[in-house]
Amino acid sequence: MTTAQSPATTTPTAATTSPATTRSLLAVAVVAQPLWAAVALAQAATREGYDITRHPLSALANGSLGWIQIANFVLAGVLTVIGATGLRRALHGTPGGTWAPRLVRISGIGMIAAGVFVMDPADGFPVGTPDGMPAALSWQSYAHFAAGSVTFTALIAACYVLGHHYGRSGMRKHAVGSRVAGTALLLGNGWAMSGGAAGTLTLAVGVITAMAWISLTAGRCRRGL
């Protein structure tokens, strides 16, 4: 005689484990960070007084149109957090499959915080702001810098973990690409923090490179399902 299996011991439903659901989550991961980059660069090219060689992309959150960049940070961060679930499912059981999605999720949380806490106007942007840095920074500005540090560190680490993942999988070109992306952000941020010439530009290049690599990885995982 057989007995009915209780609901508590049944396997997860197809709705929570189906490839279609994972593909949808990965599609979010593909879009999230390139969306942030596209919106930020569009503003950089059109906002009066903005100079990407002098001002970080975060500065776009100031001024009358600053709400666009604030919303950009928050939306892209939320999408990154959601998309990290797709990466976790797709990479489950593989080398780096635990920490890469976690680090991507942390970077998304950092982006949300960077949108909530806005850096102070500085160095002539928005128009009418005195040149140079303010004599004293607000606590919101410090919170923004901390959120940025979390985001950058998590993205760098995620790229290096993905380099390990691809290396162990025998995909040498992808392993190199992952490490190049992580190093681009590491060096770009380091140059900016040291006060190097056009440091805000090198930081932007590094951030967008790392973001693009996370997006490409999500797209590859999606195609593999």
Side-chain angles (χ1 to χ4, degrees):
M1 187 171 93
T2 60
T3 58
Q5 188 179 32
S6 66
T9 59
T10 57
T11 56
T13 63
T16 60
T17 60
S18 69
T21 302
T22 303
R23 284 175 60 85
S24 296
L25 291 168
L26 287 169
V28 174
V30 170
V31 169
Q33 298 188 24
L35 172 65
W36 181 88
V39 173
L41 291 176
Q43 294 179 84
T46 57
R47 291 280 300 273
E48 182 183 2
Y50 181 83
D51 180 353
I52 198 170
T53 66
R54 294 175 57 199
H55 308 122
L57 293 171
S58 292
L60 293 164
N62 287 296
S64 61
L65 295 177
W67 65 270
I68 299 175
Q69 186 68 341
I70 292 172
N72 189 29
F73 268 118
V74 174
L75 176 59
V78 170
L79 293 177
T80 298
V81 170
I82 293 171
T85 301
L87 284 171
R88 177 178 59 80
R89 293 183 181 186
L91 297 176
H92 179 70
T94 66
T98 298
W99 274 104
R102 286 179 181 176
L103 290 163
V104 170
R105 180 174 287 110
I106 291 170
S107 77
I109 294 170
M111 292 178 74
I112 295 170
V116 172
F117 303 108
V118 178
M119 68 176 290
D120 297 334
D123 205 14
F125 184 83
V127 174
T129 302
D131 289 337
M133 295 298 293
L137 296 177
S138 68
W139 70 267
Q140 292 98 329
S141 196
Y142 281 115
H144 179 88
F145 295 145
S149 295
V150 169
T151 302
F152 301 154
T153 301
L155 279 173
I156 292 166
C159 287
Y160 285 134
V161 172
L162 286 171
H164 170 71
H165 163 78
Y166 285 125
R168 289 288 299 275
S169 302
M171 304 176 67
R172 294 183 180 179
K173 290 183 179 180
H174 289 76
V176 171
S178 295
R179 291 167 182 139
V180 167
T183 302
L185 177 50
L186 179 65
L187 295 179
N189 185 45
W191 182 252
M193 293 295 291
S194 71
T200 52
L201 176 59
T202 65
L203 175 58
V205 170
V207 169
I208 292 172
T209 300
M211 286 181 166
W213 189 257
I214 299 299
S215 176
L216 289 170
T217 296
R220 186 182 180 282
C221 289
R222 190 172 185 270
R223 290 191 299 272
L225 293 178

